[in-house]
Amino acid sequence: MKQFYLTTPIYYVNAAPHIGHTYTTIAAEVIARLKRAEGYDVVLATGTDEHGQKIERAAKAVGKSPQEFTDLISAEFSKQWTELGLQIDRFKRTTDPEHHKKVQELFLRCQERGFVYKSSYTGAYCVSDELYANEAKPGEPCPICGRPLEEVTEENYFFKLSAFQDRLLELYEAQPDFIQPEIRRNEVLAFVNGGLQDLSISRTSITWGIPVPNEEKHVFYVWFDALTTYMSAVEGEGRWPADLHLIGKEILRFHAVFWPAFLMAADWPLPKQIFAHGWLLFENDKMSKSKGNLLRATPITNVVGIDALRYFLLREVVFGSDGNFSLDALVARYNADLANGLGNLTSRTLTMIKQYREGKVPDVPVLDAVAAQIAATQQQAKAHYARFEFSKALESIWALIGFLDKLIMEEKPWVLAKTGEAARLDTVLTSTYRALQVICDLAHPAIPASIDKIRAQMGQDGQVGDLTPVFPRLDAKLVIPQMQELEQAELARQNALLGKTPEVEPAAAEVSAVSPLSPEITIDDFVKVDLRVGLVISAEAVKGADKLLHLKVDIGEAEPRNIVAGIAKAYAPETLVNRKVVIVANLAPRKLRGIESKGMIVAASLEGGSPVLAAFLEEVPVGARLK
Ligand code: MSP
């Protein structure tokens, strides 16, 4: 049997799984299903990347040992894939001793062949990307992630990456589809053409890693360690080389340059293809921990089902490009394509067969026009799937659904039944039924659980089974708040699991005095708050209240507003007149010491210190809204 081995990246355990990880894993699982349907013996591997300073720091931030911490989060990942019903064949952790052996073997082979040497490095280093930034200075932003670089001095083992420039270029030339899509291939070509510098592959500044053989102080650089999982995950199974590494575009260089070079140095076979997909953006912004805009998958799937999410991600996002994620769009897609489209066609077709033919599918040939449409759809969908063009594949399958809807409208089986045109009715019913079978075959890799349900209702031996709606319509007003509520609960659960500040980013770790953040809100929540630029017209002390000032603030309305603010200890009234401030303009009025206060002044409130008013460095017009 032909084999097909594909991988997802192994995910860092410095945070619990979120929808970005789920995106890659779902895409990989769809490809695995497609290949299985083509008759391949498929293995899909994923796992967790557990070593390095970033993880060490994340563990420390929550008062756990690295091992305790990684055990906990790695389990979250494997549990997540099970909960989502994703069929994963191998789950490899970099803390697995078998994996350690493989990394050491890779190193020794590179060393034996003269591609490794020892040298010392002083300079800038990015903890987050675990990368030496040879051309930048400490304190400058990391060229990859933009976080400030730190200074390190270390004795390292270096890998002679510079020796592989020509061989890599030959590889990209000889196998034009080694890196996909084309735009990513061009990026890599430009990078390699620009020259390659040797790469440090060991660290002495950290202990949480795989030891370098015969070296007490050195552990392997995380990427040397992590990439090797692709081999250790199938060690001894005769499945290497991988047919496909599916990754996000931000880790392309590691996969398309470093990894093949390591393998060339070790004289091991190279993977056949690397496909880098785009980012899933949350309302046009990159999802990120520091922005706090991550969504978890299970709060979504527990409300609308896994196939709603699978379908949305595959249909809405052009695979390879960035795409937007939003719950509104998810619900809209579901209702249009699944409830109205496929769901409706299924129920109409099967109900009519029940009603007019006692559930028995007539054994007559399919209409020529339908047969032609089926053949065209099969050909198109398969061609798109083969190029991982999921959205186009689904689009062509859904075009067949549209075609059948139209056919039913035109043929009007309910009229044929009344007027006794039995032969034509048989043909129409059979044609729709057979086409629906093909739709099921083609859509199965994308939405397997729902298609299994449809197939059960379509019955066996041409006898339709019991009917229940597979895609009940969703009411956005109902389900979106439900998903958001579950998201909060899931976030709280993860926080509890991880200690109080699980989302600590290495670069932000220094800001340890920050009080815990309020629960996450959506942009919709935020825009409810109307913040305006105001000009203070007058300010005076409030009698009998030593903390309060009574201000009149102009925000461009007919009259200035009365605002009572607790800033008397920090600001003398006369210093405020003519000053521009930020006010919350739509706050419900409140009476303080007999004065009705209409709004609140925004200030940084420091623990145990005085408030500091928000202000602008540039000129801003009175009344301007902040958002
Ligand atoms: N541990 C490394 C990978 C080592 S592979 C030998 C790593 N881990 S990660 O946890 O940061 O995962 C990155 C991957 O998760 C991306 O390459 C992508 O596959 C997926 N995604 C994470 N966030 C994502 C989005 N917002 N959108 C799309 N994919 C995302 O890098």
Side-chain angles (χ1 to χ4, degrees), residues 36-52:
R36 238 169 242 135
E38 280 177 38
Y40 284 87
D41 164 24
V42 178
V43 162
L44 166 58
T46 186
T48 41
D49 192 352
E50 307 185 15
H51 291 129

Side-chain angles (χ1 to χ4, degrees), residues 561-609:
R561 288 185 175 212
N562 284 313
I563 294 180
V564 179
I567 53 172
K569 291 246 157 106
Y571 293 95
E574 63 277 10
T575 61
L576 292 175
V577 176
N578 262 333
R579 182 173 166 158
K580 282 189 178 148
V581 290
V582 176
I583 74 156
V584 184
N586 62 339
L587 200 64
R590 204 176 139 206
K591 256 199 174 153
L592 288 161
R593 301 274 165 169
I595 307 165
E596 185 174 59
S597 178
K598 289 183 71 183
M600 194 179 93
I601 297 213
V602 177
S605 39
L606 308 176
E607 207 63 62

Side-chain angles (χ1 to χ4, degrees), residues 17-19 22 76 80 83-84 294-306 308-309 325 327 330-331 478-494 520:
H18 58 71
I19 203 159
T22 307
E76 283 286 302
Q80 169 97 129
E83 275 178 14
L84 296 176
L294 298 178
L295 277 185
R296 276 127 271 270
T298 48
I300 298 170
T301 59
N302 286 342
V303 176
V304 298
I306 176 66
L309 180 63
F325 186 86
L327 295 177
L330 176 106
V331 173
L478 219 66
V479 294
I480 292 179
Q482 279 173 0
M483 291 190 265
Q484 286 167 337
E485 211 169 292
L486 288 184
E487 161 79 2
Q488 287 310 314
E490 175 64 2
L491 194 63
R493 185 191 70 82
Q494 290 182 354
E520 185 174 271

Side-chain angles (χ1 to χ4, degrees), residues 429-441:
L429 294 180
T430 300
S431 298
T432 359
Y433 184 89
R434 297 289 165 220
L436 189 57
Q437 278 181 321
V438 173
I439 291 168
C440 285
D441 294 345

Side-chain angles (χ1 to χ4, degrees), residues 9-12 18 20-21 23-24 49 223 226-227 230 247-248 250-251 255 277-280 287:
I10 52 162
Y11 303 110
Y12 284 132
H18 58 71
H21 308 123
Y23 178 56
T24 312
D49 192 352
W223 280 99
L227 290 159
Y230 296 142
I247 57 168
E250 80 291 357
I251 53 175
H255 284 78
H277 65 66
W279 280 332
L280 208 55
M287 289 201 192

